[in-house]
Amino acid sequence: MTDTPKLVTRRRALAAAFGLASVAALAKFGTSGTSFAEETATTATLAGGTLPIPDQLVATVEDGVSVFALTAQSGSTSSLVSGETVSTAGYNGTSLGPTMLVSDGEQVRFEVTNGLDEDTTVHWHGLHIAPSGDGGPQNIIEPGATWSPATTINQGEACTLWYHPHGLGTTADQVALGLAGMLIVDDGSAANAALPTEYGADDIPLIMQSTGVLTSGAFVTTNAGFTASGTTLKFLVNGASATDSTPTLEVAYNRVRLRLLNASLADIVTVALSDGSAITQVASDAGLLAAPLSVTSLRLTPGERAEIVLDLTSTTTATLRATVRSSTNGTRYTVSMVQISSTGTDTPADLPATLNTIADLDTTGATARKFTFSNSGNTFLINGVAGTTMDIMNANAIMTTVGATEVWTLVNSSTTIYHNFHVHDVPFQVVSIGGAAPTGANLGLRDTIELPPSTTVVIKLQFTDYSDTEYMYMLHCHNVIHEDDGMMLGLMVM
């Protein structure tokens, strides 16, 4: 039997990068304002099993700046459909991308090289960053070029974010190939430190992709493709096909934190334990919830994230099941997405009763706006506008100012089609859904939310810190097929 692999934690990796002799020295030295949860003197035991776990991308450090190097590159796989070689793409590999761990106050620079044979962008979904570094359609990276946005992490919350392409009309094509990865923020809080935080050991990403392979051997990139004759539907978890064999995750601890990301183009994924028992949710898109929340299932639309904690003390295995639905809510399939087992002998402490304090945003004097989501055939619109070119985006941009507080009414006018909504730059708080006050995870901070048919969702948000007279943010449906077909507007913060 081989030795169990050990994890080199981020703090230790940074200590080595700074040339410091110890972890304690790094804590004393600091990293440009970074505040890390204190770690034990021992290294953690990496998880095993058949589930692939994206590598952690350890930054190099240049003059106090953490530099993360990403290269978008093409590849292929013959493991999804017998007899078919399917083209793929990934960051620093041929599918998906490495996970980046950052902390509030940390100075970072992303060095993104385009190794594809077409233009791309990289958007940091959920990251509070200046519009010039946001990675939207204005931040085109030509083949062979490198884009180098720099920022100081200014999130204010521990949260699970992700990165993916965001070009006009090309997002679905490139995300379908596998261009996606996680970006995890640590806020240094005691509550976050009380949760599992050893990446790859007891803190595990689950990147879920409901996809399909056409008879041509290409990934599905349209709604019609999912139901086309001969299409082979697949559910991928961290790039592994759970449709063909349930991936296994073997951890050495009795509590595990799972960071769920629905990276599907269009499908809604509902996650539950196969035995129907309760799941503890600790975070929504943009941060920790006020308190641990007991749920029996989590429904995630494309782009949404949730963090859950499983206690494995009294169970041999726990199997997470995914039920996948289309944008008209028709069930495509149900699959066992991962089977989790523990060899731990530890007894986890009780979770904190309070995880976060979420101050209610005062909307006195707020600007009110209304956005109506509709379609005309395969053209998708917001307020009657299909945002398919930069000229259209510029002509119809929403204009606001730093410091502005706003209340947005989001109306899905369709009687059959499910949309969802994502806004760049800042998180929002939910005021009401279908006229009712929010409950559960919708009381937390969000950046993406479901818009069911014939339903109105009201949110409130405040624009802080960043402005620009040239670069804009985006607001759009995160069914990226709808987005590519026009359901997107520009947002200019002046």
Side-chain angles (χ1 to χ4, degrees):
M1 182 175 178
T2 58
D3 291 338
T4 304
K6 300 292 183 179
L7 174 70
V8 178
T9 63
R10 174 172 161 72
R11 180 180 283 272
R12 293 179 186 282
L14 278 173
F18 275 93
L20 301 175
S22 68
V23 173
L26 180 64
K28 182 177 180 180
F29 179 82
T31 54
S32 306
T34 296
S35 177
F36 292 94
E38 290 300 321
E39 296 183 7
T40 60
T42 59
T43 55
T45 302
L46 282 170
T50 62
L51 176 75
I53 298 176
D55 290 339
Q56 178 185 336
L57 180 59
V58 178
T60 59
V61 179
E62 299 178 5
D63 298 324
V65 177
S66 299
V67 181
F68 294 93
L70 292 170
T71 298
Q73 59 192 76
S74 299
S76 64
T77 180
S78 58
S79 64
L80 288 181
V81 179
S82 177
E84 295 283 359
T85 298
V86 181
S87 295
T88 64
Y91 299 102
N92 298 359
T94 58
S95 182
L96 299 181
T99 299
M100 291 177 282
L101 277 64
V102 298
S103 291
D104 247 11
E106 184 175 358
Q107 297 180 50
V108 303
R109 187 170 74 248
F110 303 107
E111 295 283 351
V112 185
T113 300
N114 183 5
L116 307 174
D117 58 5
E118 60 183 2
D119 291 350
T120 193
T121 76
V122 179
H123 167 54
W124 321 105
H125 182 125
L127 187 65
H128 184 44
I129 188 173
S132 59
D134 182 59
Q138 291 174 285
N139 299 122
I140 293 295
I141 313 170
E142 296 179 346
T146 298
W147 178 54
S148 304
T151 190
T152 298
I153 300 299
N154 183 23
Q155 208 67 17
E157 298 281 343
C159 52
T160 299
L161 312 179
W162 67 301
Y163 59 97
H164 61 82
H166 207 309
L168 277 179
T170 61
T171 299
D173 290 346
Q174 295 190 354
V175 172
L177 291 171
L179 286 165
M182 275 196 181
L183 175 63
I184 295 173
V185 179
D186 178 9
D187 64 353
S189 67
N192 191 53
L195 302 172
T197 55
E198 298 286 9
Y199 182 79
D202 60 5
D203 187 350
I204 310 293
L206 294 180
I207 301 175
M208 305 177 293
Q209 298 165 286
S210 173
T211 189
V213 179
L214 300 167
T215 54
S216 65
F219 281 115
V220 167
T221 58
T222 65
N223 286 317
F226 281 103
T227 56
S229 176
T231 294
T232 303
L233 297 179
K234 295 286 182 177
F235 189 82
L236 309 182
V237 186
N238 293 353
S241 174
T243 305
D244 298 307
S245 178
T246 303
T248 60
L249 176 65
E250 301 164 357
V251 296
Y253 306 92
N254 277 325
R255 177 175 290 154
V256 61
R257 180 186 200 166
L258 302 174
R259 299 177 186 263
L260 306 174
L261 160 63
N262 184 357
S264 306
L265 299 186
D267 284 349
I268 301 161
V269 179
T270 299
V271 177
L273 286 168
S274 60
D275 63 3
S277 58
I279 297 170
T280 301
Q281 183 176 359
V282 294
S284 53
D285 295 319
L288 297 176
L289 299 177
L293 177 66
S294 180
V295 298
T296 54
S297 65
L298 299 94
R299 180 177 165 104
L300 302 177
T301 61
E304 284 190 66
R305 289 90 61 213
E307 297 177 27
I308 63 175
V309 170
L310 296 184
D311 189 331
L312 304 171
T313 306
S314 60
T315 185
T316 304
T317 61
T319 300
L320 282 176
R321 183 186 66 235
T323 300
V324 177
R325 295 177 173 87
S326 71
S327 59
T328 56
N329 207 34
T331 300
R332 295 202 197 278
Y333 54 84
T334 297
V335 63
S336 294
M337 57 182 273
V338 63
Q339 184 182 81
I340 305 163
S341 60
S342 170
T343 60
T345 57
D346 57 309
T347 302
D350 290 341
L351 290 174
T354 299
L355 295 172
N356 199 2
T357 300
I358 303 173
D360 187 51
L361 181 61
D362 183 3
T363 56
T364 303
T367 298
R369 302 184 195 268
K370 180 179 179 180
F371 299 96
T372 300
F373 294 71
S374 63
N375 70 292
S376 176
N378 288 328
T379 299
F380 289 83
L381 310 102
I382 303 178
N383 289 350
V385 176
T388 54
T389 70
M390 284 312 304
D391 285 345
I392 294 173
M393 303 291 277
N394 286 319
N396 294 278
I398 306 303
M399 309 296 289
T400 190
T401 57
V402 171
T405 300
E406 305 203 357
V407 176
W408 291 3
T409 299
L410 314 172
V411 180
N412 182 356
S413 65
S414 173
T415 59
T416 58
I417 300 174
Y418 284 71
H419 297 299
N420 70 357
F421 173 79
H422 171 56
V423 61
H424 296 199
D425 183 26
V426 292
F428 55 78
Q429 296 178 3
V430 180
V431 177
S432 64
I433 299 174
T439 58
N442 284 325
L443 292 169
L445 296 172
R446 307 300 304 268
D447 61 48
T448 309
I449 193 166
E450 183 172 7
L451 301 180
S454 303
T455 298
T456 296
V457 175
V458 181
I459 64 173
K460 56 185 179 181
L461 62 174
Q462 184 177 47
F463 296 98
T464 59
D465 302 307
Y466 305 120
S467 64
D468 204 290
T469 58
E470 177 183 0
Y471 289 92
M472 62 180 69
Y473 299 108
M474 298 289 138
L475 58 97
H476 58 91
C477 179
H478 215 289
N479 176 323
V480 294
I481 296 173
H482 294 172
E483 173 191 324
D484 279 350
D485 288 338
M487 198 166 267
M488 181 162 62
L489 290 178
L491 169 66
M492 184 73 76
V493 182
M494 304 293 287

